[in-house]
Amino acid sequence: MGPSDTNREQACATLERHLDYVFADRALLKRALTHRSAEADHNERLEFLGDGVLNFTIAAALFEQCPEAPEGDLSRLRASLVRETTLAAIAREIELGAAIVLGPGEMRNGSRRRASILADGVEALLGAIYCEAGFDAVRAVILRLYNKRLANLPTAASLKDAKTQLQEWLQARARSRPEYELVQVTGADHCQHFVSRCRLADSGESVEGEGGGRRKAEQDAARRMLAKLGADS
């Protein structure tokens, strides 16, 4: 076993300690940690499976923990817990990046720290645990990983995007829905900059927002309108 193999085994052992789960099938663990840039036997199918197991487990946990919450609030809470940024944060907590197997190009690009690769790796690991030990085992791992996050849930209202907040604020006052208009697109295809206008038809008030996509520009405009209306506090 060469130095790189030894380092990887050490990284896997550290990862398993964080998971509190040791793989009997080392080939399955390797597949779960192998990015498609490295070889044909990669982790995308396991990622697909892990995504489904994770979504169900978190949905069930929220259903039990928040008995009075409506479907919309549960959906927003679940989305916040299974989104890429949350999964990447969990990956860093369990030191997953050191164990990922990448192709030479991805290695040079520093992809070991990329949020999308880290998040996919967490889902693939969960899929692999399900394959090896079944649902109860992977559920236990998920609940351990999410213990603090489930104990400190944000309010569902805080997870609503700006456009939803603005629309609900206006509806509560029997006012018309806001209108959004694309004002300008600049820049090359790979780095376009968008400007959108949010206008209130019943008062004529308008503000402009900007961002790296049409939706981002509209969200920015909605945030600015909320601030203008004094509805962001």
Side-chain angles (χ1 to χ4, degrees), residues 109-122:
N109 292 336
S111 297
R112 197 175 295 281
R113 298 183 299 275
R114 190 188 303 167
S116 59
I117 288 180
L118 292 173
D120 292 347
V122 172

Side-chain angles (χ1 to χ4, degrees), residues 182-228:
L182 182 62
V183 176
Q184 186 181 51
V185 181
T186 57
D189 289 345
H190 66 283
C191 58
Q192 289 183 320
H193 185 76
F194 291 73
V195 177
S196 291
R197 179 180 295 117
C198 174
R199 179 178 178 275
L200 304 185
D202 57 4
S203 67
E205 293 174 279
S206 69
V207 295
E208 291 184 355
E210 54 189 302
R214 182 168 185 162
R215 292 179 63 183
K216 290 182 179 179
E218 289 179 353
Q219 291 288 353
D220 186 49
R223 279 190 291 271
R224 297 186 188 200
M225 181 60 77
L226 284 165
K228 185 174 184 178

Side-chain angles (χ1 to χ4, degrees), residues 122-199:
V122 172
E123 291 179 336
L125 276 173
L126 298 177
I129 294 171
Y130 175 84
C131 287
E132 180 171 271
F135 178 73
D136 288 344
V138 72
R139 177 180 179 274
V141 170
I142 292 169
L143 294 180
R144 280 196 297 272
L145 294 176
Y146 277 89
N147 180 49
K148 291 182 180 179
R149 289 174 172 84
L150 286 168
N152 298 280
L153 291 172
T155 63
S158 71
L159 299 174
K160 293 179 181 179
D161 62 60
K163 289 179 68 174
T164 300
Q165 290 181 50
L166 177 58
Q167 183 169 321
E168 291 182 354
W169 190 89
L170 292 168
Q171 286 177 337
R173 291 157 180 77
R175 296 184 60 177
S176 301
R177 295 175 59 160
E179 301 170 350
Y180 295 91
E181 176 189 4
L182 182 62
V183 176
Q184 186 181 51
V185 181
T186 57
D189 289 345
H190 66 283
C191 58
Q192 289 183 320
H193 185 76
F194 291 73
V195 177
S196 291
R197 179 180 295 117
C198 174
R199 179 178 178 275

